[in-house]
Amino acid sequence: MLKRKDKYVVAVVGATGAVGGEMVSILQERKFPVSELRLFASDRSEGKKIEFKDDEIKVEVLKEDVFKGIDIALFSAGAQRSKDFAPFAAKDGCVVIDNSSAWRMDPSVPLVVPEVNPDDLKKHTGIIANPNCSTIQMVVALKPIHDKAKIKRIVVSTYQAVSGTGAKAMDELLEQTKSLLSFQDVKCNVYPYQIAFNCLPQIDVFLENGYTKEEMKMVNETRKIMGDNSIQLTATTVRVPVFRGHSECVNIETEKKLTANEARAILAEAPGIIIFDAPDKGVYPLPIDCAGKDAVYVGRIREDESIPSGLNMWIVSDNLRKGAALNAVQIAEKLIEFAQ
Ligand code: 25A
Ligand code: L14
């Protein structure tokens, strides 16, 4: 457990990356009680300077023995780094909040979205997992409905931004777009096929059951976070040429019938959600509007007329913020609240 202090020594591992950079700015924006910030990345970035408050902090190379004296480490340097280094951090008394898929399904590791299952944090033993971006925004919107009407089945299709893959993927979308607009050949380094002006129905690797790993993360993580293994769920995850902001088309079947208005009223009261739903005025959430914002935006709420009790909705959120860096910092804030 984290010991209560006025201020904490905080580390960001992967600080030069797309999510790591966002973590540094969110710590600053939310006035997180930081006594010292340490930044780590690969040797490629050693000595690079990153601004934090009125200081410039030098990026250090990640090593096994750097964690002594660090209270909280936010990891975002890929699953392999998390597997290799998080145990060393935990051994040295540092609480790890890990943004990768490395530890999420480990039964001894809490998988937490503060609006949904904050109390799971109390059981941590040094490593806490931050869920997958698409899963986070979906459970923020579905938990309040599950509590009122019990969700039996979820069918979700995602439209995911390239920033989920990191800074290199954002460069690839930009470069391919420039090439195509100037009649040059496109180069594919990050994705298997051209992403500019295209959609790719593959995120992460394919598994034996024909689903992608990203799709199965949504299935397994949703059940773990909601604490209900009886929820049936099937997912199709698609990459679209959007820089920032994941969108999701979500269909649910509930035990108790909810009208669209009842669902809207439940979501209007729920934490972390903003409803953008006025079809008569053409109002619904768009990734370009949600980029840089903290909330999970919900719109297009309507009854599924093909079954007795079902709903459709469109859920959008900034994948680098609520989907990653913000959720991790909110976990750290909850840990402080629980600290003694
Ligand atoms: O989420 P991301 O974006 O995928 O980032 C993942 C995070 O995990 C870290 C990684 O650190 C990053 O912080 N990480 C990876 N392996 C790690 C390890 N073993 C590790 N941390 C610890 N231990 P990093 O130092 O590898 O990341 C820096 C890379 O991210 C680029 N970048 C950051 N912000 C960016 C951005 N690129 C575009 N837009 C942004 N906003 C960063 O770019 C660097 O590539 P750069 O501008 O600092 O440098 C680009 C130059 O680097 C050269 N280059 C690229 N790869 C290599 C290389 N040079 C030598 N060897 C390479 N393998 C490029 O040619 C370019 O000139
Ligand atoms: O959190 O968009 O497991 O490429 C791995 C790949 C998140 C997003 C995770 C992507 C992700 C991701």
Side-chain angles (χ1 to χ4, degrees), residues 18-86:
V19 172
E22 206 67 29
M23 285 169 165
V24 174
S25 7
I26 291 176
L27 287 169
Q28 176 165 339
E29 269 169 42
R30 294 173 73 91
K31 301 189 170 56
F32 194 88
V34 178
S35 58
E36 186 193 355
L37 184 65
R38 306 268 305 273
L39 303 177
F40 297 97
S42 74
D43 51 10
R44 271 199 294 281
S45 301
E46 187 176 10
K48 197 172 167 180
K49 289 185 187 136
I50 293 180
E51 267 181 52
F52 179 67
K53 295 186 180 166
D54 298 327
D55 287 339
E56 279 202 323
I57 302 179
K58 265 196 187 164
V59 175
E60 304 171 65
V61 178
L62 183 63
K63 299 208 178 85
E64 290 168 4
D65 61 0
V66 298
F67 297 100
K68 288 194 183 71
I70 296 175
D71 299 305
I72 301 168
L74 308 176
F75 269 62
S76 182
Q80 196 54 49
R81 256 70 57 193
S82 299
K83 281 183 198 143
D84 293 345
F85 291 92

Side-chain angles (χ1 to χ4, degrees), residues 79 99-102 104 130-134 160-166 169 191 203-204 213-214 217 221 239 246 319 323-324:
N99 189 55
S100 81
S101 59
R104 290 179 190 148
N130 198 57
N132 166 267
C133 36
S134 302
Q160 297 185 217
V162 295
S163 52
T165 320
Y191 295 122
I203 296 182
D204 213 333
K213 199 172 162 194
E214 183 80 353
K217 285 179 226 167
E221 294 181 24
R239 182 85 57 199
H246 287 357
N319 54 299

Side-chain angles (χ1 to χ4, degrees), residues 14-16 18 52 75 100 121 135 167 186 202 205 209 217 240 247 260 270 304 310 312 319-320 323 329 336:
T16 50
F52 179 67
F75 269 62
S100 81
L121 276 179
T135 309
V186 297
Q202 178 191 352
V205 294
N209 64 358
K217 285 179 226 167
V240 295
S247 306
D304 176 350
N312 281 308
N319 54 299
L320 295 182
V329 173
I336 293 180

